[in-house]
């Protein structure tokens, strides 16, 4: 299925997601979330490939994670959000737990990873997620499930993926003194 054959899902209402997620969703202005997911994959990789290798495992005060851990966190979050979207799109009403991003960042030894591996893992996951979202029917985008004791729609999760990555890319740019050339 090509992205051109998919309808525009529209931005989620504030009642479709937890409050914190609204911060991420608010960073997304593109009218077509599928196109935003796909384009962001290209732009983020281009940006991240410019990160100097000697900076990958450095903590820049006042932050507590290395750049590798931030990239790993972006992958972890994409994975969690996509699992939630899968369950909710299928109509699964089983409440899902939250997750502790600090526990995940500490658990997965991102210090052993190089930039290419981190970007490949995230890129493959994003491609799989874009393909998944592209085959949903219109009603599935509106399905709502519960995660971390909050209601959340499938479309809110897709928007949150884009916004979450955009949020962290902006922080990384500030850390590295890189001027934002394009919306990531």
């Amino acid at each position: 299925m090509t992205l051109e054959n998919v309808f525009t899902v529209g931005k989620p209402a504030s009642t479709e997601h937890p409050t914190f997620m609204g911060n991420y969703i608010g960073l997304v202005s593109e009218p077509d979330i599928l196109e935003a997911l796909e384009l962001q994959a290209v732009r983020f990789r281009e940006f991240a490939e410019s990160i100097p290798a000697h900076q990958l495992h450095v903590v820049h005060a006042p932050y507590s994670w290395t750049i590798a851990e931030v990239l790993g966190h972006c992958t972890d979050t994409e994975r969690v959000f996509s699992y939630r979207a899968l369950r909710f799109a299928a109509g699964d009403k089983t409440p899902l737990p939250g997750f502790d991003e600090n526990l995940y960042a500490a658990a997965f030894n991102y210090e052993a990873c190089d930039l290419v591996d981190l970007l490949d893992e995230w890129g493959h996951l994003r491609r799989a997620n874009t393909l998944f979202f592209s085959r949903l029917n219109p009603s599935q985008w509106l399905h709502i499930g519960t995660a971390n004791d909050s209601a959340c729609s499938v479309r809110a999760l897709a928007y949150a993926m884009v916004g979450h990555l955009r949020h962290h890319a902006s922080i990384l740019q500030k850390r590295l003194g890189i001027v934002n050339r394009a919306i990531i």
Side-chain angles (χ1 to χ4, degrees):
M1 176 179 278
T2 64
L3 296 183
E4 295 81 29
N5 296 331
V6 180
F7 69 102
T8 301
V9 300
K11 206 163 190 175
S14 61
T15 56
E16 293 180 48
H17 56 79
T19 304
F20 83 90
M21 202 175 274
N23 297 326
Y24 302 138
I25 293 168
L27 296 174
V28 183
S29 60
E30 294 88 343
D32 183 337
I33 193 60
L34 291 170
E35 186 176 293
L37 285 160
E38 193 168 76
L39 185 57
Q40 186 181 51
V42 174
R43 288 182 174 164
F44 181 71
R45 179 138 196 153
E46 288 172 356
F47 156 68
E49 286 176 338
S50 74
I51 296 171
H54 69 276
Q55 292 290 324
L56 191 61
H57 301 294
V58 174
V59 175
H60 300 92
Y63 305 103
S64 58
W65 289 346
T66 66
I67 291 172
E69 289 168 329
V70 171
L71 296 174
H73 164 71
C74 290
T75 300
D76 296 340
T77 301
E78 179 109 358
R79 188 172 276 125
V80 170
F81 285 1
S82 64
Y83 177 69
R84 290 174 179 175
L86 173 76
R87 298 275 303 259
F88 300 165
D92 188 337
K93 297 293 185 186
T94 307
L96 300 175
F99 74 106
D100 180 342
E101 66 273 7
N102 292 306
L103 177 70
Y104 283 42
F108 296 122
N109 193 23
Y110 292 115
E111 297 307 307
C113 299
D114 67 17
L115 185 61
V116 171
D117 288 342
L118 289 165
L119 294 177
D120 282 351
E121 181 179 4
W122 177 84
H124 291 303
L125 183 58
R126 173 56 67 91
R127 180 69 183 139
N129 290 336
T130 302
L131 290 169
F132 164 73
F133 284 122
S134 73
R135 69 176 188 270
L136 296 181
N137 68 49
S139 67
Q140 287 174 305
W141 283 95
L142 303 176
H143 285 191
I144 293 179
T146 303
N148 199 25
D149 299 320
S150 296
C152 192
S153 71
V154 172
R155 69 179 172 176
L157 289 160
Y159 272 82
M161 283 180 187
V162 172
H164 179 262
L165 187 70
R166 194 164 282 164
H167 165 77
H168 284 289
S170 176
I171 293 170
L172 288 174
Q173 287 175 330
K174 288 175 190 168
R175 284 175 69 165
L176 297 167
I178 297 171
V179 176
N180 188 357
R181 296 176 301 273
I183 294 175
I184 296 173

